[in-house]
Amino acid sequence: MSRGSNAALVVVLLLGSSCWAAPECGRSAEQCHEHRMHPDLPEPEPVAGRKMRVVEGDDTNSYWRQQGIEFVQRKLSSEPNKRQAKNVILFLGDGMGVTTTSASRNLLGGEEKSLSFENFPYSGLSKTYSVDKIVPDSACTATAYLCGVKGQEGTIGVNGQVPRTDCTVMLDENTHVNSIAKWAMDAGKWAGLVTTTRVTHASPSGVYAHIAERDWENDAEVAGDCGANSGIHDIAYQLARGEVGSKLKVIMGGGRKHFVASSLASWGERNDGLDLIEEFQLESNKNAYVTTLDELNAVNLQQTDRLLGLFNDDHLKYRMETTEDSQQPTLEQMTRKAIEYMSQSEQGYFLFIEGGRIDQAHHINQARMALNETIEFSKAIAAAQELTSEEDTLLVVTADHSHVFTYGGYANRGSDIFGPAPVTGHDGQPYMVLSYANGPSYENFYDMATKERKNPTTVVKGEHDDEFPSGVPIDMDSHGGDDVPVFALGPWSHLFTGVYEQSTIPHLMAYASCLGEGHTMCST
């Protein structure tokens, strides 16, 4: 037999053998190196009460070929929708990077599942850096995806000329930039916001505020940095009395404490003696102010001028920490109510809806709650898709930034994503499928006295507030600087493909709905 025939026989034997595996370390230096990068791990030991998840047919050629064929057919049958968008809803998953969405699918039953918005026909990636930082925060990113201009970290609704905490430059209104909510109002549309954080927090503030420091949510905080007579209006004040904030038709979330003076309520934090909630109620007898789910459900939307729902003094509770007695609406419930109300606008509307506590759970290395908040976010988007028509409503889903959250370790299909990887580290200790590059959990997983890792499975107990391992000890896990996904459905959603600056997003929405002074489908 010729040398060529011998080589061909070897290839056939290798490919044809069902038991062939990656070469073991030791056959050669190159194969050893390759094997360490791509280990052939042992099959998992059977666990009582748990079976390997089996997706029928996924071990055959036809299963995957049919999936590919169907995807191509869907793409070929879709036609770009070039109608004008009457309504625009921007969904913001705060801190929802690609690893978060990917890991969250396991909570739906497996990695082959999809979050509601992952079935949207068009997707892209946005670059999240700010004017001064490689890795941004939720303030400057809100300016980007709502106002179409990038600014410096920690600032909201102002351009890159305003440094964070600067008490003078931001007073120059030439540095102020308006959000797409104002563009919508100028066109005769309604605008509103819904969030699971304080309504004065960084992301929702991008809808209506102009501020050099995201933490200036009430007047006491402004005075602490700039003095009592700085001329700067705090974020809650701008929401209550500002040009945009005072005209928002729907405002729902948390943060009561920033609207009322401490002299008027034990939970209030203002120093100026104001009760901005009472002002809202006195503005019109048709203004509805609600603080519980029952009150929200009881609102007669046809007889309501404006709707203000503040369901906690601070952020809303994590969904996993609520009970039936909490009387806190879910993000889906708030979304349904907001769309039902905003749909009364004959001219259409712009609505900002944020799943804000994804980010905050990641900051404290609590992956289980972060992924659960992502599922709640997905439910709200599914509700919006149900209640609107893609013929006239543009839905855009994105994140402001990612986190240093990792999802790896060669876990077996069907294994618990919150459990350990199937092999141990060189120190003999297992490691978890989910972990963080940094964060406050470090000391729980590393014995400072012995300078050794602890067994993480003795720390992660299956509780909702479990912390997951982090590599560097800091007070809060940091954001990530990687690009974040953008998903779109409805009129002109095909424009949202590719890789682009985060500040492009409002210009794309404006093009589709003929808002603002830039290039739109109506000016073409």
Side-chain angles (χ1 to χ4, degrees), residues 296-308:
L296 178 63
N297 288 334
V299 172
N300 184 335
L301 298 178
Q302 287 71 41
Q303 297 181 11
T304 299
D305 283 346
R306 298 177 68 207
L307 172 60
L308 172 63

Side-chain angles (χ1 to χ4, degrees), residues 469-485:
S470 63
V472 177
I474 58 175
D475 289 341
M476 290 283 172
D477 120 295
S478 70
H479 296 165
D482 40 310
D483 298 348
V484 295

Side-chain angles (χ1 to χ4, degrees), residues 33-271:
H33 182 65
E34 186 74 18
H35 189 265
R36 286 171 179 156
M37 289 191 292
H38 310 104
D40 183 29
L41 300 177
E43 289 297 313
E45 293 294 327
V47 178
R50 182 186 299 165
K51 297 180 179 178
M52 275 288 285
R53 184 172 62 257
V54 176
V55 178
E56 185 176 357
D58 76 353
D59 58 350
T60 66
N61 295 354
S62 60
Y63 176 88
W64 301 106
R65 286 174 175 169
Q66 187 60 33
Q67 282 205 354
I69 291 168
E70 290 174 358
F71 185 82
V72 171
Q73 289 174 337
R74 287 197 300 273
K75 286 296 183 182
L76 291 173
S77 63
S78 63
E79 293 289 337
N81 180 349
K82 296 185 178 181
R83 299 178 180 86
Q84 180 180 348
K86 177 182 179 182
N87 314 307
V88 176
I89 305 178
L90 175 60
F91 282 93
L92 192 283
D94 199 313
M96 189 187 70
V98 172
T99 50
T100 298
T101 55
S102 299
S104 295
R105 297 175 195 141
N106 286 269
L107 275 65
L108 299 175
E111 40 284 315
E112 71 279 0
K113 303 296 184 181
S114 297
L115 300 167
S116 61
F117 49 89
E118 291 179 320
N119 292 312
F120 284 11
Y122 300 101
S123 59
L125 292 167
S126 80
K127 296 183 279 187
T128 63
Y129 67 90
S130 67
V131 166
D132 60 332
K133 294 292 178 69
I134 295 174
V135 179
D137 77 325
S138 296
C140 60
T141 51
T143 307
Y145 62 72
L146 284 165
C147 305
V149 173
K150 290 199 175 190
Q152 295 194 37
E153 181 198 27
T155 66
I156 302 169
V158 292
N159 64 26
Q161 298 172 29
V162 179
R164 185 171 187 173
T165 70
D166 190 288
C167 300
T168 57
V169 177
M170 66 151 288
L171 293 174
D172 179 0
E173 294 189 2
N174 290 320
T175 65
H176 294 187
V177 289
N178 293 314
S179 78
I180 190 172
K182 185 177 189 304
W183 307 349
M185 289 177 176
D186 291 344
K189 297 177 183 288
W190 291 3
L193 67 87
V194 175
T195 180
T196 54
T197 68
R198 298 187 296 267
V199 295
T200 53
H201 206 236
S203 301
S205 296
V207 172
Y208 59 85
H210 311 284
I211 204 84
E213 171 54 62
R214 57 178 290 172
D215 293 336
W216 294 344
E217 295 183 59
N218 62 56
D219 69 302
E221 292 167 347
V222 175
D225 285 338
C226 301
N229 300 308
S230 65
I232 296 172
H233 294 309
D234 60 86
I235 295 174
Y237 186 99
Q238 291 187 51
L239 179 53
R241 296 185 180 181
E243 181 183 9
V244 175
S246 65
K247 295 181 179 64
L248 294 175
K249 300 292 283 187
V250 169
I251 303 165
M252 282 193 278
R256 273 192 299 259
K257 63 184 182 180
H258 292 305
F259 292 86
V260 178
S262 58
S263 60
L264 301 176
S266 59
W267 43 264
E269 294 191 357
R270 302 190 67 83
N271 280 348

Side-chain angles (χ1 to χ4, degrees), residues 444-464:
N444 295 334
F445 293 89
Y446 187 77
D447 190 318
M448 299 297 288
T450 63
K451 307 300 182 184
E452 294 176 331
R453 277 197 316 130
K454 299 177 184 178
N455 183 339
T457 63
T458 65
V459 181
V460 178
K461 301 291 185 63
E463 302 294 333
H464 74 277

Side-chain angles (χ1 to χ4, degrees), residues 195-510:
T195 180
T196 54
T197 68
R198 298 187 296 267
V199 295
T200 53
H201 206 236
S203 301
S205 296
V207 172
Y208 59 85
H210 311 284
I211 204 84
E213 171 54 62
R214 57 178 290 172
D215 293 336
W216 294 344
E217 295 183 59
N218 62 56
D219 69 302
E221 292 167 347
V222 175
D225 285 338
C226 301
N229 300 308
S230 65
I232 296 172
H233 294 309
D234 60 86
I235 295 174
Y237 186 99
Q238 291 187 51
L239 179 53
R241 296 185 180 181
E243 181 183 9
V244 175
S246 65
K247 295 181 179 64
L248 294 175
K249 300 292 283 187
V250 169
I251 303 165
M252 282 193 278
R256 273 192 299 259
K257 63 184 182 180
H258 292 305
F259 292 86
V260 178
S262 58
S263 60
L264 301 176
S266 59
W267 43 264
E269 294 191 357
R270 302 190 67 83
N271 280 348
D272 53 12
L274 294 178
D275 185 336
L276 298 174
I277 296 174
E278 183 180 58
E279 281 189 14
F280 172 85
Q281 293 172 294
L282 294 174
E283 178 187 82
S284 168
N285 58 14
K286 289 187 176 182
N287 278 3
Y289 171 60
V290 297
T291 60
T292 67
L293 174 59
D294 285 346
E295 291 175 355
L296 178 63
N297 288 334
V299 172
N300 184 335
L301 298 178
Q302 287 71 41
Q303 297 181 11
T304 299
D305 283 346
R306 298 177 68 207
L307 172 60
L308 172 63
L310 298 177
F311 304 104
N312 206 335
D313 294 343
D314 205 333
H315 302 301
L316 299 193
K317 294 180 180 179
Y318 290 107
R319 178 64 177 151
M320 294 186 80
E321 294 188 336
T322 61
T323 66
E324 292 183 1
D325 297 327
S326 295
Q327 274 294 301
Q328 175 182 291
T330 65
L331 184 61
E332 178 187 353
Q333 290 169 327
M334 291 191 291
T335 295
R336 288 183 176 276
K337 202 71 171 181
I339 292 175
E340 183 183 351
Y341 178 62
M342 299 292 276
S343 296
Q344 297 177 108
S345 171
E346 294 182 0
Q347 300 301 315
Y349 59 85
F350 169 78
L351 186 58
F352 174 78
I353 302 176
E354 181 196 24
R357 305 222 68 189
I358 302 168
D359 170 75
Q360 293 167 343
H362 275 320
H363 274 305
I364 52 177
N365 297 152
Q366 293 185 359
R368 201 182 302 269
M369 289 209 293
L371 300 192
N372 179 265
E373 291 293 313
T374 305
I375 298 299
E376 292 296 310
F377 182 62
S378 177
K379 290 177 183 177
I381 296 162
Q385 189 173 358
E386 171 196 328
L387 295 172
T388 61
S389 168
E390 63 182 279
E391 295 299 307
D392 68 356
T393 301
L394 173 62
L395 303 182
V396 179
V397 180
T398 190
D400 48 357
H401 53 75
S402 68
H403 274 265
V404 289
F405 174 60
T406 61
Y407 169 34
Y410 300 107
N412 295 291
R413 290 287 297 274
S415 60
D416 182 6
I417 192 176
F418 299 114
V423 292
T424 60
H426 289 317
D427 57 0
Q429 298 288 10
Y431 61 93
M432 306 303 287
V433 172
L434 303 179
S435 63
Y436 294 85
N438 53 49
S441 70
Y442 178 86
E443 62 184 22
N444 295 334
F445 293 89
Y446 187 77
D447 190 318
M448 299 297 288
T450 63
K451 307 300 182 184
E452 294 176 331
R453 277 197 316 130
K454 299 177 184 178
N455 183 339
T457 63
T458 65
V459 181
V460 178
K461 301 291 185 63
E463 302 294 333
H464 74 277
D465 57 354
D466 275 337
E467 292 182 347
F468 283 74
S470 63
V472 177
I474 58 175
D475 289 341
M476 290 283 172
D477 120 295
S478 70
H479 296 165
D482 40 310
D483 298 348
V484 295
V486 185
F487 305 89
L489 171 73
W492 296 96
S493 54
H494 56 285
L495 297 182
F496 289 82
T497 57
V499 181
Y500 38 84
E501 298 290 354
Q502 190 170 50
S503 52
T504 304
I505 292 173
H507 298 291
L508 294 173
M509 295 188 292

